[in-house]
Every structure is written in C-alpha cells, then in structure tokens.
Amino acid sequence: MMIKYLLNNGYQSVIYKKGEVVYEPGAQPRAVYFIVNGEVRMVTVNDDGKEFIQGIFKSNQYFGEPALLVNKPYLAYTIATKDTEIITVYKDAFFKLLETDRNFSTELIRTLSNRLFYKSMMLEELANEQAEHRIRTLIAYLLKNLEKDVVMDVTRQQLADMSGLRVETVIRLVKKLAAQKELKLLKGKIVKI
C-alpha cells in the first residue's frame, strides 16, 4: 500500500545490486528506505568478522526509521541480498508523511512494536544456553504468519546468523526437529505444517 502511494506521488526508486551497502554503522540517518522488490539484510559484524543478522527486510517493507526517529547514527550495515529496488524517503518528507497520514503512523507504530517484540524475544533466547530451544523459538516466530505448506524463505546460514549459532548446529537441530515432526523439510527447506 505505501509503495503504491509513494510511486503514485512522484517518489523514484533506485536499484541496489546484490551485495551493495545501503548504509553503514556510524552513518547519520538521512532517510527511510521502502523496498519495492528484493531483499535487504541488516547485520552487525563482530571483531572476528562474524555477521549477526538483526533483520531481513523484503518487498513492501521498510527500514532505517528507528535511527531517523531518534536522530542517532546507524548501528548496523544494511546490504542488498539480491538486486533490490528501493524508494528513499528523505527525513523531511518522512516526517511530513507521519504528520499527514494517520494510517501510515499507525502502521509504523505496529511495525516498530513487532520489531521490538522480536528483539526482546531473541535477547531472551540468546541468554538461554540451549541451542535447540533457540532454534525452535526462532523458527516458530518466522513461521507464524505463513500459511500451511508454505516454504520458509530463510536459509540455514541466515538462521545461524540470527540465532548466534554455527550453521552446522542449525542443520543438525533442523533435521532433529523434522525427525520429531515439529516441522517438515522439502528439498532442505523448512515448510510450515
């Protein structure tokens, strides 16, 4: 809905090639980014170079608004996971949108609340030392809005990066959960049952 509104009101989209960085940690926020199509991952990188996925954003989603709203530098990298078409809504236009479009303001509050809930859930899971519990909770969260028999569009490497576990651990646990009939695998992909 917002993408259509933005395009109909003269906002232009730009293509970010796979692997291209939209913004980096430490940069001052200038805009909110709306994804027309494609995918972006938000990651922090530790001193050893290991990525931890903070979020994955897809078509009809947006990102970058928390830093803009509090006027603090970005804390993570955002990187196009594949060629991605993005509409950049700069600060003044974004705040005007918030003031004039009540539906958008409500949607923003809902989106931020969902993200806060996810972050709180993951913090609790990361404090839990049981890897199986972490993966079970993360997969349940990612599957909750999917219909039955729909494939979850998250790789095992992404699950590892989101949970702070090694990919080998994730693979072993996903196979175990499938054997216990807690999830279904189809060509290595997780399917909602």
Side-chain angles (χ1 to χ4, degrees):
M1 178 180 99
M2 282 310 300
I3 300 296
K4 193 175 195 177
Y5 172 85
L6 293 171
L7 290 172
N8 288 341
N9 284 281
Y11 288 87
Q12 301 295 312
S13 63
V14 173
I15 301 292
Y16 285 81
K17 294 291 187 189
K18 179 180 178 177
E20 194 172 345
V21 173
V22 180
Y23 59 73
E24 299 182 356
Q28 281 302 123
R30 319 175 290 124
V32 177
Y33 304 87
F34 292 78
I35 302 175
V36 178
N37 58 60
E39 183 180 276
V40 170
R41 74 183 190 279
M42 182 178 289
V43 299
T44 52
V45 181
N46 70 13
D47 292 338
D48 298 328
K50 180 169 172 34
E51 286 188 1
F52 183 78
I53 296 180
Q54 299 289 328
I56 297 172
F57 303 97
K58 300 180 181 194
S59 300
N60 297 312
Q61 295 182 322
Y62 51 91
F63 61 94
E65 73 284 359
L68 189 72
L69 288 168
V70 296
N71 197 30
K72 301 276 187 193
Y74 296 119
L75 298 175
Y77 290 93
T78 52
I79 304 163
T81 307
K82 51 185 153 188
D83 289 358
T84 302
E85 185 179 0
I86 294 176
I87 298 170
T88 302
V89 177
Y90 290 96
K91 187 177 187 174
D92 290 343
F94 179 73
F95 282 112
K96 186 167 180 68
L97 200 56
L98 285 177
E99 290 172 16
T100 59
D101 190 327
R102 184 181 186 125
N103 290 335
F104 179 73
S105 297
T106 302
E107 178 58 29
L108 176 72
I109 292 167
R110 187 175 294 114
T111 297
L112 289 171
S113 297
N114 280 326
R115 289 185 196 161
L116 184 59
F117 179 83
Y118 169 77
K119 300 270 187 191
S120 296
M121 180 193 76
M122 286 311 299
L123 276 173
E124 186 176 321
E125 289 305 312
L126 289 172
N128 183 337
E129 294 182 20
Q130 296 179 351
E132 184 175 330
H133 189 267
R134 273 194 232 176
I135 288 300
R136 181 180 281 120
T137 303
L138 179 58
I139 290 172
Y141 178 81
L142 294 171
L143 288 175
K144 78 175 181 181
N145 291 326
L146 297 180
E147 300 290 324
K148 185 178 183 221
D149 295 324
V150 172
V151 174
M152 185 173 77
D153 189 23
V154 176
T155 67
R156 291 175 188 184
Q157 180 63 59
Q158 288 172 327
L159 285 173
D161 292 343
M162 293 168 94
S163 64
L165 298 170
R166 294 175 25 160
V167 72
E168 296 82 6
T169 304
V170 170
I171 291 169
R172 180 177 49 78
L173 292 172
V174 166
K175 286 180 181 176
K176 180 180 178 184
L177 294 174
Q180 294 172 343
K181 306 275 192 243
E182 293 187 40
L183 56 87
K184 183 166 90 176
L185 291 176
L186 178 65
K187 296 181 182 175
K189 292 281 192 177
I190 298 171
V191 179
K192 184 167 184 176
I193 53 175

